[in-house]
């Protein structure tokens, strides 16, 4: 089947496209793009911005490639943005082992609803994804999922931080990065070796930066509020010490380092400095770190308990600045669904995490509204940059990732998000497709939402 998306405002940072036009999809791939009167065939020079908006000429010869109208599905995207499908490089899908929290099926349904066409799942399942057979299981299961699932392998066996996994065989099975997320790799020698191997395999090491000796038993940001609430605090230094250590190790090894969920002003500063020095370091933050301060836990609301914890206004400002100037490359969700009963425990005992897939785009579009990011930069942070970091911009040998992804270049996977930046949506956690209803954003009104998510040419309505 062929699909044509008509009259949308097409944004594709990978090709410098920013204009009204049509996209033709055929057999799950981008077949052709026309921007007003200009045919786009992978050449930036062909893109022209025009003030007038004349009718578009038909696709190829014979109108829509000579196919009959009945074989062509048309999507009217007038007034909408058409951007490369969102890629979330940090989710917890919980399968295998914790299916009561989430499954690959429910997690990918939540992803599609949130505008994501690809999600990368962290290895802290049960069993942990620390060997090729678990990777193979996740990939097999993901074939029932609605979007592409790319597994991230553990750095160390059983995430114990002691012995490296077999990165080569796990890469061959389909792992696209390595991380012990949920836990840091406390042993610097192990982290050094991981970065050395990752360099050889060309895959990133994603670091959950936390000095456990400083954060031990902490449940929220350390400061006046934690004292007032009588809760044990986690200082910003717990994150920053490890960010700094890992930057030094990336410099030592030349390995590819990606810092997960940046939450503090000091981390932004360290990463900015590393980038100025030309190091191979990238970073992500999550919507909750630029949307909420520690005040969200004032009522001991466990839905606002995350690791790293929510910080202060100053940190939020620094994170926005970091997103704006390119220090922070990626917005990821750290989607961490939990069962209701677990989050009902008292604050000290409740698990950390937010079910983030279905609110991430709306919360991030707020940054566009506030003038922190342009819509182009948003598409970079939520699609192009994750694709670049994970090596998805080129066609992939793996049948799972046929690719390219993160781009609307001709021949890429037809992964597209059509969004309406004006649509107002009430967040209703009880209606999430994710099994995890744990969100501090329940009841919020978000301006901007995905309307249609197209994953490898398959069309899904989001609203
Ligand atoms: Zn983490
Ligand atoms: Zn995580």
């Amino acid at each position: 089947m062929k699909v044509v998306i008509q009259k949308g405002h097409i944004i594709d940072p990978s090709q410098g496209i920013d204009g009204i036009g049509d996209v033709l999809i055929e057999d799950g791939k981008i077949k052709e793009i026309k921007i007003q009167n200009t045919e786009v065939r992978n050449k930036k020079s062909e893109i022209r911005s025009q003030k007038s908006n004349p009718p578009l000429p038909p696709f190829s010869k014979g109108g829509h490639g000579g196919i009959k109208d009945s074989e062509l599905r048309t999507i009217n995207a007038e007034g909408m943005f058409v951007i490369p499908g969102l890629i979330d490089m940090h989710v917890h899908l919980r399968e295998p082992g914790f299916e009561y929290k989430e499954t690959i099926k429910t997690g990918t349904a939540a992803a599609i609803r949130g505008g994501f066409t690809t999600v990368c799942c962290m290895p802290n399942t049960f069993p942990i994804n620390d060997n090729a057979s678990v990777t193979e299981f996740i990939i097999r299961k993901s074939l029932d999922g609605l979007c592409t699932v790319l597994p991230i392998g553990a750095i160390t066996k059983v995430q114990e931080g002691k012995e490296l996994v077999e990165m080569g065989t796990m890469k061959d099975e389909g792992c696209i990065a390595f991380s012990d997320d949920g836990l840091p790799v406390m042993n610097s020698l192990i982290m050094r070796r991981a970065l050395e191997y990752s360099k050889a395999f060309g895959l990133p090491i994603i670091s959950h930066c936390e000095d456990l000796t400083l954060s031990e038993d902490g449940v929220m940001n350390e400061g006046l509020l934690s004292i007032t609430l009588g809760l044990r605090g986690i200082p910003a230094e717990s994150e920053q010490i490890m960010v700094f250590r890992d930057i030094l190790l990336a410099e030592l090894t030349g390995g590819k380092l990606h810092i997960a969920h940046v939450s503090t002003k000091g981390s932004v500063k360290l990463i900015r400095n590393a980038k100025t020095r030309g190091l191979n370091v990238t970073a992500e933050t999550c919507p909750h770190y630029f949307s909420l301060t520690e005040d969200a836990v004032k009522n001991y609301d466990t839905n606002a308990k995350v690791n790293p914890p929510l910080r202060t206004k100053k940190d939020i400002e620094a994170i926005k600045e970091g997103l704006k100037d390119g220090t922070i490359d990626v917005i990821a969700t750290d989607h961490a669904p939990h069962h209701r009963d677990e989050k009902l425990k008292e604050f000290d005992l409740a698990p950390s995490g937010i079910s983030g897939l279905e609110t991430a785009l709306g919360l991030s579009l707020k940054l566009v509204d506030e003038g922190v990011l342009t819509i182009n930069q948003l598409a970079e942070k939520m699609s192009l940059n994750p694709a670049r970091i994970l090596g998805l911009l080129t066609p992939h040998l793996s049948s799972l990732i046929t690719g390219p992804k993160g781009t609307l270049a001709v021949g890429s996977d037809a992964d597209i998000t059509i969004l309406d930046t004006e649509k107002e949506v009430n967040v209703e956690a009880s209606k999430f497709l994710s099994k995890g209803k744990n969100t501090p954003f329940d009841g919020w009104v978000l301006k901007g939402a995905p309307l249609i998510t197209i994953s490898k040419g398959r069309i899904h309505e989001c609203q």
Side-chain angles (χ1 to χ4, degrees):
M1 197 177 81
K2 303 191 184 192
V3 180
V4 61
I5 305 166
Q6 286 181 329
K7 296 178 191 161
H9 187 154
I10 304 169
I11 301 278
D12 181 9
S14 77
Q15 305 180 84
I17 296 176
D18 182 349
I20 308 291
D22 294 359
V23 182
L24 179 66
I25 297 167
E26 194 180 307
D27 301 326
K29 295 280 182 186
I30 308 277
K31 178 81 172 167
E32 207 172 339
I33 292 188
K34 278 180 191 295
I35 301 297
Q36 297 183 347
N37 263 340
T38 311
E39 226 169 281
V40 178
R41 289 193 186 276
N42 265 338
K43 284 187 208 155
K44 280 186 186 174
S45 59
E46 288 185 11
I47 303 156
R48 301 273 184 275
S49 64
Q50 294 179 10
K51 278 186 184 126
S52 60
N53 193 5
L56 293 160
F59 276 111
S60 306
K61 298 146 208 118
H64 301 307
I67 49 173
K68 285 184 221 140
D69 275 357
S70 58
E71 294 166 350
L72 185 78
R73 171 145 179 208
T74 304
I75 297 170
N76 180 6
E78 212 171 343
M80 314 294 160
F81 283 101
V82 177
I83 65 175
L86 305 183
I87 299 170
D88 189 348
M89 62 183 294
H90 190 152
V91 302
H92 298 267
L93 293 181
R94 307 300 190 200
E95 191 175 0
F98 304 102
E99 289 84 353
Y100 69 96
K101 291 178 195 257
E102 191 81 291
T103 63
I104 290 169
K105 207 167 181 175
T106 56
T108 56
I112 284 285
R113 194 189 195 191
F116 293 94
T117 52
T118 299
V119 293
C120 306
C121 58
M122 285 296 177
N124 59 341
T125 47
F126 185 79
I128 286 168
N129 183 14
D130 64 1
N131 64 79
S133 65
V134 179
T135 309
E136 192 264 328
F137 169 87
I138 293 168
I139 284 173
R140 192 157 27 86
K141 274 282 190 172
S142 75
L143 299 178
D144 298 335
L146 292 184
C147 70
T148 303
V149 176
L150 305 175
I152 296 168
I155 294 172
T156 62
K157 289 183 183 166
V158 209
Q159 290 190 235
E160 281 183 337
K162 290 177 185 161
E163 197 185 335
L164 288 180
V165 300
E166 298 270 349
M167 286 187 185
T169 56
M170 291 179 72
K171 183 190 176 184
D172 291 345
E173 202 61 58
C175 284
I176 40 86
F178 294 94
S179 179
D180 269 1
D181 185 57
L183 291 168
V185 176
M186 285 295 288
N187 183 317
S188 301
L189 177 63
I190 297 282
M191 194 59 168
R192 174 189 184 168
R193 296 280 178 252
L195 283 159
E196 283 167 351
Y197 277 104
S198 77
K199 190 183 174 191
F201 293 116
L203 300 183
I205 292 289
I206 302 176
S207 180
H208 167 115
C209 290
E210 175 183 0
D211 183 331
L212 291 173
T213 58
L214 268 181
S215 66
E216 201 183 10
D217 299 329
V219 292
M220 69 168 290
N221 184 47
E222 182 177 294
L224 206 57
L225 187 62
S226 64
I227 296 166
T228 314
L229 294 175
L231 293 172
R232 182 148 177 167
I234 301 172
E237 285 72 15
S238 160
E239 177 174 312
Q240 289 152 201
I241 284 170
M242 292 304 254
V243 169
F244 194 35
R245 181 204 70 172
D246 288 350
I247 287 170
L248 293 176
L249 290 176
E251 186 167 20
L252 177 67
T253 59
K256 208 172 165 182
L257 172 69
H258 179 77
I259 313 255
H261 42 53
V262 169
S263 78
T264 78
K265 184 180 174 178
S267 296
V268 177
K269 213 170 152 188
L270 289 164
I271 295 159
R272 185 178 289 125
N273 182 275
K275 287 193 167 190
T276 312
R277 292 191 291 128
L279 302 181
N280 202 353
V281 175
T282 54
E284 75 190 27
T285 191
C286 315
H288 40 277
Y289 296 120
F290 56 74
S291 305
L292 294 171
T293 65
E294 58 180 354
D295 287 349
V297 306
K298 255 183 184 166
N299 300 325
Y300 301 91
D301 180 5
T302 56
N303 283 325
K305 183 181 178 186
V306 276
N307 186 20
L310 299 173
R311 305 285 186 180
T312 67
K313 223 172 156 211
K314 273 188 186 161
D315 297 296
I316 290 191
E317 279 163 19
I319 283 167
K320 286 184 181 175
E321 199 48 50
L323 282 164
K324 197 182 174 98
D325 71 13
T327 301
I328 301 177
D329 309 82
V330 169
I331 298 172
T333 64
D334 196 1
H335 176 73
H338 289 291
H339 192 272
R340 188 170 162 268
D341 293 348
E342 295 170 315
K343 280 288 193 181
L344 279 176
K345 287 180 184 167
E346 60 186 276
F347 199 88
D348 279 334
L349 302 173
S352 298
I354 289 174
S355 180
L357 284 167
E358 288 164 84
T359 50
L361 183 55
L363 291 166
S364 302
L365 278 167
K366 228 169 153 230
L367 298 178
V368 177
D369 226 28
E370 291 171 5
V372 176
L373 297 179
T374 63
I375 190 91
N376 268 284
Q377 286 174 309
L378 187 84
E380 280 175 21
K381 311 247 180 233
M382 298 187 83
S383 187
L384 177 62
N385 290 347
R388 191 175 274 151
I389 291 163
L390 299 167
L392 308 177
L393 276 174
T394 46
H396 219 274
L397 289 176
S398 160
S399 60
L400 190 74
I401 328 163
T402 48
K405 291 180 177 295
T407 169
L408 299 177
V410 171
S412 307
D413 281 346
D415 287 356
I416 295 173
T417 305
I418 301 176
L419 60 105
D420 182 349
T421 51
E422 298 301 316
K423 190 179 174 67
E424 291 198 343
V425 177
N426 282 310
V427 179
E428 286 179 88
S430 61
K431 292 188 179 162
F432 276 2
L433 296 181
S434 166
K435 283 191 184 183
K437 317 295 180 194
N438 49 305
T439 174
F441 303 109
D442 197 19
W444 283 39
V445 179
L446 300 177
K447 193 173 153 218
L451 293 186
I452 291 173
T453 308
I454 302 174
S455 178
K456 287 191 182 175
R458 281 185 296 171
I459 301 166
H460 306 274
E461 313 240 343
C462 306
Q463 300 299 321

